[in-house]
Amino acid sequence: MTGLTEDVLEIAAARPRDPALRWRGADISYAELADLVRRAHQDLAGHPGEGPVAVVAPKSPEVVAFVLACVLARRAVLLPSPDLGRTALAELVHRAGCEHIVTATAAATASGLELRETGAPARPSGDVRFLLTTSGSTGAPKIVPLTAGSTDRFMRWAVGMFGIGPGVHVLNYAPLNFDLCLLDVWATLRAGGRVALVEAEHAVDPGHLVGLLEDDPHVVQAVPMFFRVVAEAVRSSGRRFPGVRHVVLTGDHTPRPLRAELPAVFPGARFHNVYGCTETNDSFVHSFDGHEADTHEVLPLGRPLPGVRTRIMTDEGELTGAGTGELWVATPFQTRGYLHEDGARFTTEPDGTTYFRSGDLVSRGADGELRLVGRTDFQVKVRGVRVSIEDVERVISEHPQVAEVGVVAVPDPQAGRRLHAVVRRRSDRLTGLGLRQHCAQRLVRAAIPAVIQVVDGPLPHTSTGKVDRKLIRKELLAGGS
Amino acid sequence: MTTTEGITEAIRTHILAEYLPGTPREELETSYDLLDNGVVTSLDLLALISWVEQRFQVPIDEVEISPDHFRSVDAMSEFVKRTTGK
């Protein structure tokens, strides 16, 4: 491999008529994509620099081409979250040292995008290809630089693992600022496959998503919310998507009742539960066939990807047998560290291996299998008992009448913290008191939410499709309940 | 408020208002286990006992109290009747 964009242009030369993108019901060929890349490259040539380029426009073929043009020009691409406010975005762009910013606000350029100076002091791109972000605890996003080498290694794994190549169709559900796009957009284009781009405004539109699946993708990677929307949409029609070969579950725990529905919807698929984070990219995969979809209450993390090293750390040191601790991972795909942050989450061992302290709690069973327990920071003490909020959510979500759930901890003068669960039910057969009994059978008493609020409307979601606990908590605290 | 039904309903009203706001009245069965299901926690128990004492003039100092007496609306109602002779 020479470079990401060079590989794409090579495919355009060798197989110009092969489809590269699926966009709004039509194919865009590699030749057309190459044309868009060249135009974007021209625009970029008018704004020379070595600092990163911030790309904040919504997903489109033009934006995909612009990112490829930046990569070709050896300029790092900052992909911020589209949810970022103007001030936060300006601050982020400045912190990342982006000399230029690309937006979709004007169409006066060859690429159809507006490219302008930011005025920020440039920070040389070096060998960094992408600058992704993760939410920081204080609210300001942390910048995660990923080098050409680390992303190349990841793409090579993804292409081999999922058999991506010419004639293979991949569905891209995630917004471009997600690391998931390294697999479903960038690795696919590099390997000569076709990417169907899902637009953010249709992300929860059941009819639209079903339509995209009828376009016959072979590989579908998405967060559980996508599969929930699809499963609900086809439940009555009984529609099936036998062409899908790989279903990649990522980003969150997929509740067992939802998993149980998937083999019928994707009867030809092998399923993969992938664990990873922006800092390290995918680190574990657990692959299984349809008949095993709901055999586990919680899916195991599975095997580490090739080259991935892991440790489980407790207060007493490394865990060697069964037990629970924080997962540390070192992957061939990882960042060297956040930009402008102390390295507290990264630990370099005497042998030179740098581990990322994931903040994820995992347990190792007697069988040696690892399972995600929750976040170290989602542990709260209720009446002196340590409770994992994610455990509580998982238990509630396993009730067959529960569509989705968010559990938050709110301060309580007596208990320290008390748990408040907001639950969307599938039918009015579910009551809060019934759900309490379900919890009582599966959780210690302190972990049973003090308040179980049953609603019929959808819960708020973050841009990643997870239930927005922060917003739920904010509303609860504002409401004084 | 001297009938069994009156006592039971007063207790049910209190439990709903204090510990299960927003829950429809008919949803709370009088036999529902309030302790095992986490409606009334160990910390809540003291307040609940003191409410029962004041509301029904239960001579708390003279009777033996066990959490089981507060396990359900029925159990509390039974406890009140037995200790007050109503």
Side-chain angles (χ1 to χ4, degrees):
Chain A
M1 291 192 189
T2 46
L4 166 60
T5 310
E6 285 88 342
D7 285 355
V8 174
L9 295 176
E10 224 167 85
I11 293 163
R15 337 169 52 108
R17 299 172 69 161
D18 274 17
L21 300 172
R22 181 80 178 165
W23 175 246
R24 297 183 175 167
D27 279 346
I28 292 173
S29 68
Y30 270 89
E32 290 168 301
L33 176 62
D35 211 42
L36 291 174
V37 173
R38 277 189 281 270
R39 269 187 267 169
H41 199 251
Q42 269 171 33
D43 283 348
L44 205 53
H47 297 77
E50 54 170 349
V53 179
V55 178
V56 291
K59 201 196 286 182
S60 72
E62 288 76 17
V63 169
V64 167
F66 216 106
V67 171
L68 288 171
C70 295
V71 171
L72 185 64
R74 298 293 183 263
R75 295 185 65 179
V77 184
L78 171 72
L79 293 159
S81 160
D83 297 344
L84 226 48
R86 259 178 59 181
T87 317
L89 176 65
E91 190 275 333
L92 178 69
V93 163
H94 195 271
R95 205 151 38 96
C98 292
E99 282 176 281
H100 299 105
I101 186 166
V102 174
T103 59
T105 48
T109 57
S111 61
L113 297 166
E114 186 187 336
L115 175 64
R116 56 188 162 78
E117 325 286 322
T118 62
R123 183 188 175 87
S125 296
D127 60 351
V128 172
R129 185 180 274 161
F130 291 111
L131 295 162
L132 302 183
T133 61
T134 65
S135 48
S137 47
T138 55
K142 295 181 183 182
I143 302 170
V144 182
L146 297 172
T147 63
S150 63
T151 51
D152 281 350
R153 286 188 285 276
F154 175 73
M155 288 191 267
R156 215 169 293 151
W157 170 78
V159 165
M161 176 81 187
F162 302 111
I164 302 172
V168 175
H169 299 170
V170 179
L171 187 73
N172 160 242
Y173 185 66
L176 280 183
N177 58 304
F178 282 85
D179 50 12
L180 304 182
C181 294
L182 285 170
L183 192 165
D184 43 41
V185 178
W186 310 117
T188 303
L189 290 177
R190 184 173 214 170
R194 186 190 79 171
V195 188
L197 304 172
V198 179
E199 293 172 83
E201 56 262 49
H202 297 305
V204 290
D205 173 353
H208 188 82
L209 298 184
V210 168
L212 286 165
L213 287 171
E214 283 172 345
D215 255 356
D216 239 10
H218 303 113
V219 180
V220 177
Q221 169 175 251
V223 291
M225 184 176 71
F226 169 88
F227 295 103
R228 184 180 308 127
V229 172
V230 169
E232 281 179 21
V234 302
R235 200 174 288 147
S236 53
S237 69
R239 238 178 294 189
R240 302 286 174 254
F241 308 103
V244 176
R245 298 169 198 160
H246 296 287
V247 166
V248 186
L249 308 165
T250 187
D252 206 348
H253 167 76
T254 308
R256 194 178 184 175
L258 174 57
R259 267 185 274 136
E261 290 191 82
L262 296 182
V265 181
F266 303 104
R270 184 147 171 87
F271 296 84
H272 310 272
N273 186 48
V274 164
Y275 166 86
C277 56
T278 307
E279 290 87 343
T280 61
N281 216 317
D282 294 344
S283 343
F284 284 90
V285 61
H286 171 68
S287 301
F288 53 97
D289 288 324
H291 68 271
E292 302 164 86
D294 64 342
T295 50
H296 295 289
E297 198 69 24
V298 179
L299 289 175
L301 286 185
R303 292 180 290 111
L305 268 52
V308 170
R309 272 172 290 180
T310 65
R311 312 180 69 170
I312 299 171
M313 301 302 288
T314 68
D315 292 342
E316 285 82 43
E318 184 166 5
L319 185 76
T320 47
T324 300
E326 184 185 12
L327 180 67
W328 292 18
V329 283
T331 76
F333 328 122
Q334 73 193 16
T335 180
R336 289 192 201 115
Y338 302 116
L339 216 56
H340 308 297
E341 297 272 341
D342 63 44
R345 305 259 328 251
F346 298 88
T347 306
T348 303
E349 303 282 293
D351 69 357
T353 308
T354 299
Y355 284 91
F356 174 67
R357 307 166 67 142
S358 68
D360 283 326
L361 279 182
V362 298
S363 69
R364 180 157 48 209
D367 54 359
E369 289 273 28
L370 299 180
R371 283 186 170 78
L372 208 51
V373 175
R375 293 282 302 172
T376 51
D377 43 5
F378 282 130
Q379 295 235 337
V380 294
K381 277 203 168 177
V382 178
R383 301 196 294 277
V385 179
R386 197 180 280 275
V387 170
S388 158
I389 286 186
E390 289 189 332
D391 249 359
V392 179
E393 283 188 351
R394 180 178 54 74
V395 163
I396 293 177
S397 69
E398 276 156 13
H399 190 289
Q401 298 302 320
V402 168
E404 54 182 347
V405 54
V407 174
V408 297
V410 291
D412 182 82
Q414 284 196 308
R417 299 238 181 271
R418 66 193 165 90
L419 299 184
H420 187 118
V422 186
V423 178
R424 177 164 73 94
R425 59 185 175 185
R426 287 187 201 277
S427 81
D428 57 12
R429 274 183 292 152
L430 181 75
T431 64
L433 289 170
L435 196 50
R436 264 181 191 286
Q437 287 175 317
H438 169 88
C439 290
Q441 285 155 18
R442 294 163 178 82
L443 293 168
V444 297
R445 213 175 277 177
I448 303 172
V451 180
I452 296 182
Q453 186 187 345
V454 178
V455 299
D456 291 303
L459 304 185
H461 287 102
T462 64
S463 60
T464 53
K466 298 182 186 186
V467 171
D468 194 340
R469 294 196 194 94
K470 271 188 199 155
L471 193 63
I472 291 175
R473 188 163 186 277
K474 210 169 119 186
E475 283 172 0
L476 282 176
L477 293 177
S481 62
Chain B
M1 193 56 67
T2 50
T3 63
T4 301
E5 202 188 321
I7 294 168
T8 302
E9 283 319 300
I11 294 170
R12 174 142 79 165
T13 302
H14 179 74
I15 296 290
L16 285 167
E18 282 296 310
Y19 307 103
L20 294 166
T23 305
R25 186 175 194 84
E26 61 281 5
E27 208 180 291
L28 178 61
E29 288 175 17
T30 52
S31 60
Y32 190 86
D33 192 325
L34 301 169
L35 304 183
D36 276 354
N37 292 310
V39 175
V40 174
T41 69
S42 48
L43 292 173
D44 298 325
L45 212 47
L46 285 177
L48 188 57
I49 291 170
S50 120
W51 176 80
V52 166
E53 176 186 20
Q54 287 175 16
R55 177 70 178 72
F56 301 104
Q57 284 101 52
V58 173
I60 287 294
D61 295 335
E62 297 163 34
V63 296
E64 209 185 0
I65 293 180
S66 129
D68 279 342
H69 300 140
F70 297 83
R71 189 163 283 285
S72 65
V73 172
D74 283 342
M76 273 184 268
S77 181
E78 191 58 45
F79 174 71
V80 168
K81 274 185 287 170
R82 186 165 54 77
T83 53
T84 59
K86 281 173 185 166

